[in-house]
């Protein structure tokens, strides 16, 4: 226990923010980035927590994201589309800028979309989906990533791991939220198997010749597979079309061409769709929020779990008791603060 | 070959329409129903072809759908939601009524939704998704069905096979369209295994105690499983929330309670979301339709298939050479025409 340090959520926010400010990010970039990273750490979602600071700094150092970008809001009279140009900065401050306009349009039109263009994205989508459900809206969020997944029946990386997230608001409770890659596994999980010298489960990947493989090295040289066979492959393709091509931003193969690596955060766009359950249900019998609780009770009542329950338990604990970091994690935060961009390769 | 009869697409349309008119359906119900059934037969999608006529008539005879319903269009100034109340009739004439308003709203607002309430739905969703892409819009279509699928980790039927369809328009080519159940298999496929005395593949179903089973009888008494594990289960739940609860219509367990059987077409609602790629891509580099072709070429170029290709090949053949029906199928059409509702149990 003597090797651990416990920080309150705001205290960790302040530390992460200070690292980004010292590394040259402006106030809006640093603040939004720190909020999403601390939310990951708070929810025990370690793969999207402070571990990500280094990747963000590496992307800044490589010149692939603008640390001083000021996102711009583009509104058009009568349109249900809210656009934010991230101006080459991170997606997170662009989302924060666009959210109030998206909420207003979704309430008045019944549904609305937020398009973020020219952004670097590296956080989990659940935080944005929750941003909508906290306002009483349902939300759907998606974006491409890098070409690392072969379409079903194919043999080469083309699609990204293309995350797909959804949130439904719950009165007085944490939202119903899911957020998953449309590949069977995340690329990081294959990397973990490689390091541990363990074979992959069947069905995760193919080798460079397109044959099924359980060898992590062969999988990294080949391609990952979509979840759920041709159905997941179709959803991954839909995300390239809607959240890449339709919004006039890069697809996963174009992202990989642009960056030349999967070690930097992807530069592309993002699509967020917001629905007002009140507008949709108007004039119909039943309260949609109460009826959703009946569905959730039926799911939980038969022993199934709602998604995000593990995150919400961790969140409650972090908010009550603080976030506990290891000595190595604290040292790394201190190192990143002291060295800034010099700390990353 | 002497046992087969070949009909042109319009000739089959006329025959199916006549069957429905004689069984008491009004002109708009009969016409729309015949169009969607003939489209299924034309595309060699036999499970949604003339085989469905009997189920439609059975649902009429059971008093669970109104054969003379006149759907009503409900428009609200400034809203991107177009609502059509099917007035207890089939979904198809309601969709046809709402489509022009949906297209107009999607073009002016950038995105829009069509909600169909109080309808009986029994056709494949691809025909509605194609209705949008033929107008140059991308579309997403979903609806609940009956509670026959257990959520992942659960042991009882709760979700429906909840179909999810998507279309993207292609200039001078058939649209990119997918349409699939969010269960591993359709209920009909389990029934076919039962009749053939064949075990089910692993992972399709659980028995009444929640244990995995490959016995079709046990599966029919138990529950089907969602495709892609917890991810498919989450998408199936999202469809209950958006296309059942949010639109103020029945969820899959409520549909089953209302009908008391899965042998009648489900009574519920449907959600259709339309996107204008031109509005989304405005002001951004590249033409979205040309860029999508690059993606499709990359998919096909590595030996993968685009969804719906089999349907489109069959369609081209049917349009050129007509639709060939067996002697038994022709006899059944004659019988349904002669006896009307008396022909069904």
């Amino acid at each position: 226990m003597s090797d651990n340090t416990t920080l309150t959520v705001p205290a960790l926010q302040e530390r992460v923010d200070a690292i980004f400010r010292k590394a040259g990010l402006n106030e809006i970039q640093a603040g939004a980035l720190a909020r999403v990273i601390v939310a990951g750490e708070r929810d025990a979602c370690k793969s999207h927590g402070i571990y990500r600071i280094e990747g963000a700094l590496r992307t800044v150092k490589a010149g692939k994201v603008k640390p001083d970008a000021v996102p711009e809001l583009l509104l058009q009279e009568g349109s249900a589309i809210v656009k934010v140009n991230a101006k080459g900065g991170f997606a997170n401050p662009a989302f924060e800028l666009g959210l109030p306009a998206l909420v207003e349009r979704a309430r008045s039109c019944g549904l609305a979309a937020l398009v973020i263009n020219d952004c670097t994205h590296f956080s989990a989508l659940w935080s944005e989906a929750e941003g909508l459900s906290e306002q009483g809206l349902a939300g759907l969020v998606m974006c491409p990533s890098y070409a690392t997944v072969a379409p079903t029946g194919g043999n080469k990386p083309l699609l990204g791991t293309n995350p797909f997230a959804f949130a439904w608001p719950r009165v007085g409770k944490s939202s119903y939220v899911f957020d998953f890659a449309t590949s069977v596994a995340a690329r990081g999980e294959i990397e973990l198997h490689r390091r541990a010298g363990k074979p992959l489960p069947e069905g995760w990947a193919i080798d460079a010749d397109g044959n099924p493989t359980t060898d992590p090295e062969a999988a990294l040289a080949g391609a990952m597979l979509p979840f759920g066979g041709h159905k997941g492959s179709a959803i991954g393709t839909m995300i390239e079309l809607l959240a890449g091509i339709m919004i006039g931003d890069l697809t996963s193969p174009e992202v990989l061409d642009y960056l030349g690596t999967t070690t930097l955060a992807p530069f592309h766009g993002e699509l967020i769709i917001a629905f007002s359950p009140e507008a949709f249900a108007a004039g119909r019998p039943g309260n949609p929020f109460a009826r959703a609780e009946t569905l959730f009770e039926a799911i939980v009542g038969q022993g199934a779990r709602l998604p995000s329950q593990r995150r919400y338990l961790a969140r409650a604990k972090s908010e009550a008791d603080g976030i506990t970091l290891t000595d190595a994690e604290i040292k790394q935060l201190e190192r990143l603060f002291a060295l800034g961009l010099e700390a990353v390769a």
Side-chain angles (χ1 to χ4, degrees), chain A residues 36-289:
Chain A
V36 75
I37 283 176
V38 172
E41 198 66 37
R42 174 201 68 194
D43 285 11
C45 187
K46 296 293 283 189
S47 62
H48 288 86
I50 54 169
Y51 152 82
R52 292 270 171 160
I53 298 171
E54 212 174 316
L57 295 181
R58 204 183 304 120
T59 310
V60 172
K61 191 172 180 179
K64 296 295 189 185
V65 64
K66 293 215 178 76
D68 57 350
V70 178
E72 185 187 7
L73 182 64
L74 303 157
L75 289 175
Q76 208 187 318
E77 194 60 46
S79 174
I81 308 174
V82 173
K83 293 187 185 185
V84 176
N85 192 303
K87 297 282 182 179
F90 286 98
N92 318 88
F95 177 78
E96 291 185 356
L97 176 65
L99 182 61
L102 174 65
V103 170
E104 181 274 314
R105 291 282 158 108
R107 286 191 183 136
S108 66
C109 299
L111 74 162
L114 172 61
V115 169
I116 302 176
N117 284 122
D118 295 344
C119 69
T120 286
H121 205 282
F122 78 115
S123 57
L125 298 184
W126 53 256
S127 69
E128 294 170 8
E130 276 188 42
L132 288 168
S133 57
E134 282 163 6
Q135 303 286 329
L137 302 173
L140 205 49
V141 190
M142 57 188 100
C143 63
S145 55
Y146 328 91
T148 52
V149 177
T152 297
N155 54 16
K156 279 190 274 295
L158 177 71
L159 308 172
T161 52
N162 298 1
F164 189 67
F166 172 77
W168 176 270
R170 302 181 69 183
V171 180
K173 287 183 183 161
S174 299
S175 308
Y176 174 91
V177 174
F178 67 75
D179 174 7
F180 53 73
T182 52
S183 50
V184 174
R187 198 167 165 90
E189 292 177 77
I190 295 182
E191 181 59 30
L192 288 177
H193 278 78
R194 189 189 66 78
R195 288 190 201 170
K198 288 202 294 188
L200 303 174
E202 304 262 342
W204 278 28
I206 53 178
D207 65 20
D209 298 321
N211 301 311
T213 185
T214 58
D215 172 7
E217 294 275 7
L220 289 168
M224 297 193 281
L225 290 172
F227 92 99
H230 72 281
K231 297 179 182 182
S233 186
I235 293 176
T237 305
M238 176 188 83
I239 294 173
E240 300 288 340
L241 289 166
L242 294 182
I245 288 168
M246 184 174 81
I247 65 168
D249 228 307
L250 300 188
T251 59
S252 295
E254 292 168 342
V255 170
L256 192 56
D257 278 353
Y258 171 77
L259 290 179
T261 171
T262 62
T263 63
L264 301 175
F267 178 75
H268 52 45
E270 187 185 350
L271 176 64
I272 298 124
I273 304 167
F275 304 89
S276 163
E278 276 156 345
F280 274 90
R284 299 287 306 168
N287 175 297
F289 304 112

Side-chain angles (χ1 to χ4, degrees), chain A residues 11-53:
Chain A
L12 183 59
Q13 169 73 26
E14 208 171 295
R15 286 184 81 139
V16 177
D17 185 77
I19 290 170
F20 285 129
R21 291 304 308 273
K22 189 136 179 281
L25 275 70
N26 66 13
E27 194 177 333
I28 49 172
Q29 298 288 330
L33 226 51
R35 270 187 284 284
V36 75
I37 283 176
V38 172
E41 198 66 37
R42 174 201 68 194
D43 285 11
C45 187
K46 296 293 283 189
S47 62
H48 288 86
I50 54 169
Y51 152 82
R52 292 270 171 160
I53 298 171

Side-chain angles (χ1 to χ4, degrees), chain A residues 295-306:
Chain A
L295 180 69
F296 299 143
E297 279 162 24
I299 291 172
V300 173
Q302 61 173 269
R305 290 205 305 184
L306 299 181

